Amino acid sequence: MATYYMEPSRTFSEFLLIPNLTTKDCTPANVKLKTPLVKFNKGEEPAISLNIPFSSAVMQAVSDDGMAIALARSGGISFIFGSQSIEEQALMVRKVKGYKAGFVVSRSNLKPEQSLSDVLALKEETGHSTVAITDDGTANGKLLGIVTGRDYRKSRDPLDRKISEFMTPFEKLIYGKSGIALSEANNLIWDHKLNCLPIVDDNGNLDTLVFRKDYDEHKENPMELLDKNKSYIVGAGINTKDYTERVPALVEAGVDILVIDSSDGYSEWQHETVQYVKQNFDVKIGAGNVVDREGFRYLVESGADFIKVGIGGGSICITREQKGIGRGQASSVMEVVEARDEYFRETGTYIPICSDGGIVHDYHVTLALAMGADFVMLGRYFARFDESPTRKLKVGNNFVKEYWGEGSNRARNWQRYDTGGKSKLLFEEGVDSYVPYAGSLQENLDKTLGKIKSTMCNCGSLTLDELKANARIALVSATSLVEGGAHDVILKESSLSEEG
């Protein structure tokens, strides 16, 4: 006879936090969000900790090297997507590990034979006013010139005018050579009153750009997540198919931590993958996803350094619709946390838990942490930002960014879902969609972190450990959800509310 779980499968929206006493020292400025990323023994410090409890999802539409740098700068971690060639993924890891604060890989590049209309379209898409002109239109091609807003006038120049006719050519540029120190680059910027200094190698190929606005970047980001060599910490996703080729390349590239990317992690394939990594490399690895204590224990005993929790709760995930498997994210987190604490009492080893999926509102992050998760993994949240790798488009009167699931045909990530069949997706477990464009990562993340810290103060907690220990969480009814929002009033139109 089947086993039945008669308690409803709960989501974060079904819970609210009950305030505790807020003491005078309980202010957002005093709240610390440091949290363990990998397992550690009682009385010891984890080998890697996060300065904020955020990771970006293992997705093509979310986590490339650009996102990894931006999130590490803020204190979190990205797991670079594995649904690409081994060479391309390893190159992204190298770019993150080789990144030096203040030196930016150009993300707006065109060829000299393109036109002003291409410049304007690229500016509309990226928001960047500086465009590097290279022989092949790539970020590392031979630098031929630079275009800024001072090089053209939209009202006078024809849209079909060739870039080569109005760009500032290479021979008139002030530039630095690869290997230059940031202090020297900044001196050139200030001495020559530049907004941007290109850095080129001995062959004239573009290496990076240094911007005046980034002058004090390292001072403005005290939460940066750095390794012992002062390089950014970065993760990477792997699958259970080509791991014997992919893992060595990622380790050689300098990856700090791996995670097996799978919709259902309670499998012998994950056990074998974790064992291979542990027996052959000195690198940390997370596993998942699971939704109950059995899955948690199995992967921990396989050797996993952290466990990812959640099946079917992502905004672009349709695993529950397609296959009928999964569980409400709150229920999943609560059961796995209980199993984690039980394991800690038995063995003295603490296994961090990552809550992956089910986050709709910012306060859901706080609930996940209060329920015992050590950090969260977010896809839709980060996909909205400038730093995500997808295109920014205008749909109707609104700007959006593309966002698709790893289980969609667009991602072609059959390795994530295949269980021994053909090398293709037989059916989709993800959708292709848009998300509203939200601007820069830092601006939005600061707002979210502010909400989390404020809520923690309401709960009388200055650390995540205190929040886990002291949080009081109430199940809410459908009618109290209605009561919690604006109700029984006529809301003003935004245009009306802005009038005197």
Side-chain angles (χ1 to χ4, degrees):
M1 179 179 174
T3 300
Y4 291 91
Y5 295 74
M6 298 311 294
E7 170 67 24
S9 183
R10 303 290 186 184
T11 67
F12 292 132
S13 289
E14 296 176 79
F15 294 91
L16 288 173
L17 288 157
I18 304 297
N20 290 328
L21 174 66
T22 301
T23 58
K24 289 183 178 179
D25 66 339
C26 223
T27 64
N30 291 333
V31 172
K32 306 300 180 188
L33 296 176
K34 190 171 183 178
T35 190
L37 178 62
V38 297
K39 67 184 178 185
F40 61 97
N41 294 323
K42 186 175 182 179
E44 298 178 355
E45 288 293 317
I48 309 174
S49 292
L50 300 176
N51 291 327
I52 60 171
F54 283 77
S55 62
S56 64
V58 194
M59 300 175 69
Q60 294 175 6
V62 179
S63 297
D64 66 348
D65 52 294
M67 177 61 73
I69 290 167
L71 188 49
R73 184 182 294 143
S74 297
I77 190 170
S78 290
F79 289 91
I80 292 175
F81 69 94
S83 51
Q84 60 179 320
S85 74
I86 294 171
E87 295 74 21
E88 289 171 333
Q89 189 184 22
L91 179 59
M92 286 188 180
V93 170
R94 285 194 187 90
K95 285 181 178 179
V96 179
K97 298 307 292 185
Y99 181 84
K100 294 170 287 184
F103 294 86
V104 181
V105 175
S106 177
R107 301 189 73 177
S108 291
N109 311 285
L110 293 171
K111 300 176 185 177
E113 60 267 25
Q114 290 180 269
S115 64
L116 176 58
S117 62
D118 295 309
V119 173
L120 297 177
L122 186 59
K123 183 179 179 182
E124 177 85 356
E125 178 185 332
T126 65
H128 302 159
S129 58
T130 299
V131 180
I133 310 303
T134 58
D135 60 343
D136 58 2
T138 69
N140 299 114
K142 188 176 183 64
L143 183 64
L144 302 178
I146 293 285
V147 169
T148 70
R150 295 178 298 181
D151 293 313
Y152 60 86
R153 296 185 67 176
K154 286 174 60 177
S155 59
R156 294 190 179 183
D157 290 321
L159 292 179
D160 61 355
R161 188 181 182 195
K162 293 283 190 292
I163 291 175
S164 58
E165 298 175 12
F166 62 85
M167 70 181 185
T168 301
F170 180 76
E171 54 269 20
K172 292 186 177 180
L173 292 175
I174 304 296
Y175 60 90
K177 299 300 291 286
S178 295
I180 188 174
L182 182 59
S183 58
E184 297 176 79
N186 284 322
N187 286 338
L188 285 174
I189 287 174
W190 289 103
D191 290 345
H192 296 277
K193 297 181 172 62
L194 305 174
N195 287 321
C196 173
L197 178 75
I199 308 298
V200 299
D201 65 18
D202 291 336
N203 297 316
N205 295 318
L206 178 62
D207 188 350
T208 54
L209 302 172
V210 180
F211 291 93
R212 178 189 290 258
K213 62 182 176 61
D214 294 332
Y215 180 68
D216 288 325
E217 180 183 336
H218 61 289
K219 296 179 182 177
E220 296 171 0
N221 297 286
M223 301 298 287
E224 287 179 319
L225 192 65
L226 304 172
D227 63 17
K228 60 184 179 182
N229 298 317
K230 304 300 183 184
S231 295
Y232 286 135
I233 288 176
V234 62
I238 62 172
N239 61 66
T240 58
K241 296 295 182 291
D242 65 5
Y243 60 89
T244 57
E245 295 83 34
R246 189 173 294 270
V247 172
L250 294 172
V251 171
E252 192 275 332
V255 75
D256 296 284
I257 185 167
L258 304 168
V259 67
I260 304 174
D261 182 33
S262 173
S263 63
D264 174 20
Y266 190 12
S267 74
E268 291 183 345
W269 289 285
Q270 289 225 2
H271 171 84
E272 291 177 358
T273 304
V274 171
Q275 288 283 294
Y276 166 80
V277 171
K278 288 296 179 182
Q279 291 168 7
N280 293 281
F281 302 97
D282 182 22
V283 65
K284 305 299 182 182
I285 181 170
N289 287 19
V290 299
V291 294
D292 61 6
R293 67 175 61 250
E294 288 81 8
F296 169 83
R297 292 293 293 234
Y298 181 78
L299 292 179
V300 168
E301 288 165 3
S302 297
D305 291 293
F306 73 86
I307 301 297
K308 203 142 64 80
V309 176
I311 294 177
S315 60
I316 41 66
C317 182
I318 54 173
T319 295
R320 296 179 193 173
E321 291 179 18
Q322 292 282 51
K323 297 170 69 174
I325 66 168
R327 195 179 195 184
Q329 190 65 13
S331 295
S332 301
V333 169
M334 288 188 288
E335 178 168 330
V336 175
V337 163
E338 187 178 358
R340 186 269 313 281
D341 293 346
E342 180 182 90
Y343 186 83
F344 181 59
R345 289 192 297 270
E346 290 175 8
T347 67
T349 299
Y350 186 91
I351 311 293
I353 289 172
C354 169
S355 176
D356 177 18
I359 302 294
V360 180
H361 305 291
D362 285 350
Y363 81 88
H364 289 170
V365 176
T366 318
L367 271 169
L369 299 171
M371 289 176 175
D374 296 279
F375 61 102
V376 297
M377 178 171 281
L378 304 173
R380 179 189 60 86
Y381 179 87
F382 289 112
R384 305 172 300 149
F385 303 149
D386 289 320
E387 291 80 0
S388 75
T390 60
R391 293 186 300 166
K392 175 185 169 187
L393 305 170
K394 194 169 187 179
V395 177
N397 293 320
N398 301 305
F399 283 103
V400 298
K401 295 206 76 177
E402 294 181 300
Y403 181 48
W404 61 93
E406 289 298 299
S408 67
N409 277 323
R410 179 170 183 176
R412 302 182 187 279
N413 189 5
W414 65 269
Q415 296 99 328
R416 189 179 199 269
Y417 300 90
D418 178 69
T419 53
K422 298 178 180 178
S423 300
K424 65 179 181 179
L425 285 175
L426 296 179
F427 56 89
E428 291 185 286
E429 291 186 46
V431 298
D432 193 352
S433 63
Y434 298 117
V435 289
Y437 169 68
S440 72
L441 179 147
Q442 191 64 60
E443 178 184 355
N444 286 275
L445 189 57
D446 283 347
K447 186 182 299 182
T448 300
L449 292 172
K451 291 179 185 178
I452 293 170
K453 291 179 178 182
S454 180
T455 304
M456 287 175 63
C457 289
N458 295 140
C459 295
S461 302
L462 290 174
T463 67
L464 293 179
D465 283 342
E466 289 180 9
L467 181 66
K468 294 174 192 174
N470 302 325
R472 296 189 295 161
I473 303 172
L475 190 64
V476 299
S477 67
T479 52
S480 65
L481 287 173
V482 174
E483 179 187 67
H487 60 91
D488 301 315
V489 294
I490 301 172
L491 293 178
K492 295 179 179 180
E493 296 287 343
S494 59
S495 58
L496 291 176
S497 64
E498 290 170 0
E499 293 177 3

